[in-house]
Amino acid sequence: MTARPSLIVHGGAGELSEGDDPEGVRQLAGCSTAARAGFEVLRRGGGALDAAVVAVRCLEDDPLFNAGTGSTLTVDGEVECDASLMSGDGRAGAVGCVRTVRNPIELARRVMERTPHVFLVAGGAEEFAVECGIEKLPPGALVTAAMREKWRMAVAQRSASRSGGTVGCVARDAGGQVAAATSTGGMLLKRRGRVGDSAVIGVGTYADDLAGAASCTGAGEAFIKALAAKSAVEAMRSGAAPDEAAQRVLALVRRFGGDGGLICVDAAGRVGFGFDTARMARAWIDADELEGSGFKAA
Ligand code: GLY
């Protein structure tokens, strides 16, 4: 089967604040760069999973986003990353509460490929990373000065936990296979050990070659209760277009008191998204190779 590949990435749903416009422009550029890097993999005949990992890795390495380098901080001032990925053929891997790995999405992939498990967390995941030959970072290596300052202000103001800047990608390759990948530092001022939706297969990430794939961003606890990504894929299975599937999931998430966004690709390669926050950076390249991007609502 030869299909026309397509892909969409997100750089996280969140609220607007002062200074967000210049940051929005930079986030858009970051999302477009990641989308092009992932699409290049597809254009050369690579698989959807490879493309999604390349795009998410690109966003993890960009300190503007809340994933990998630049991750948000726990109430104790430390980074704890979550990431997951799924291929439409049913293979999946995930990690939670990982502090010493530059690219948590690569570790999630190793869990999928090199263990009989789906989900490793904290010390066990970090030990496995060392076994895989992944560089062990010293404490604080993923903390940026900007995020440390944001954390200081949040602690001083005793602000409630907020998320924003989670990253993700969904793709469909020339073989018609789909994949999804998601990575995050989670919520600012979260408790140590808290795991959000981004690490959970079926919630932050889901893919099924017969229906489509989805990657979510937003208030993790509500997305968990809504089984968000799987719900989006089921909506596409029953004929909803990707944009419509995203809207249905957001309605479910709101019932649990949360907000956020998600990106979707269906089995026919149509890409779509939805969000009910003020912003969600996103960029896509569709099956006609047309590029698009946005930051605020259209
Ligand atoms: N959606 C990211 C989180 O809640 O951790």
Side-chain angles (χ1 to χ4, degrees):
M1 167 181 185
T2 302
R4 286 181 303 168
S6 55
L7 160 151
I8 179 166
V9 307
H10 70 76
E15 298 312 313
L16 287 171
S17 57
E18 242 175 89
D20 251 3
D21 276 335
E23 188 176 303
V25 170
R26 296 204 311 274
Q27 284 200 358
L28 270 187
C31 283
S32 296
T33 300
R36 286 181 197 137
F39 195 79
E40 185 55 22
V41 173
L42 299 174
R43 213 180 49 75
R44 292 185 184 179
L49 190 74
D50 289 331
V53 169
V54 163
V56 165
R57 196 185 153 123
C58 209
L59 294 163
E60 286 180 337
D61 288 340
D62 186 331
L64 269 187
F65 297 98
N66 172 19
T69 303
S71 283
T72 196
L73 303 178
T74 66
V75 71
D76 304 314
E78 291 182 352
V79 162
E80 287 189 352
C81 295
D82 299 338
S84 63
L85 82 184
M86 185 165 185
S87 163
D89 59 8
R91 294 176 302 140
V95 293
C97 293
V98 170
R99 297 164 305 161
T100 57
V101 173
R102 191 178 307 282
N103 293 110
I105 200 66
E106 294 282 7
L107 184 57
R109 185 174 191 157
R110 301 292 199 293
V111 172
M112 180 186 86
E113 290 175 342
R114 300 192 188 176
T115 80
H117 310 304
V118 169
F119 196 1
L120 294 182
V121 300
E126 289 169 0
E127 276 168 30
F128 174 64
V130 171
E131 271 174 44
C132 292
I134 293 174
E135 179 195 8
K136 182 173 181 174
L137 299 177
L142 298 173
V143 182
T144 59
M147 188 51 77
R148 179 63 73 194
E149 186 50 30
K150 204 169 172 180
W151 175 83
R152 275 201 198 98
M153 282 171 60
V155 169
Q157 294 164 2
R158 295 191 170 81
S159 330
S161 294
R162 285 172 294 158
S163 73
T166 293
V167 306
C169 176
V170 295
R172 179 193 185 236
D173 62 32
Q177 285 203 302
V178 297
T182 312
S183 182
T184 192
M187 313 281 281
L188 184 61
L189 300 189
K190 67 184 179 181
R191 286 186 73 103
R192 198 151 67 91
R194 178 263 188 190
V195 175
D197 60 308
S198 308
V200 185
I201 298 298
V203 176
T205 303
Y206 198 75
D208 180 339
D209 287 338
L210 300 179
S215 165
C216 302
T217 164
E221 281 68 15
F223 277 76
I224 289 172
K225 293 172 192 167
L227 287 175
K230 169 79 164 148
S231 300
V233 170
E234 289 312 314
M236 290 187 281
R237 194 192 308 280
S238 62
D243 288 344
E244 169 59 19
Q247 291 306 328
R248 285 191 204 172
V249 167
L250 291 171
L252 269 177
V253 170
R254 281 195 292 274
R255 278 180 47 202
F256 293 107
D259 59 9
L262 61 158
I263 52 174
C264 303
V265 64
D266 69 9
R270 294 180 296 175
V271 295
F273 64 89
F275 60 102
D276 57 7
T277 46
R279 64 174 172 86
M280 184 180 80
R282 69 268 177 195
W284 63 90
I285 301 174
D286 70 16
D288 294 322
E289 294 203 24
L290 294 174
E291 287 192 33
S293 62
F295 180 60
K296 299 180 192 174

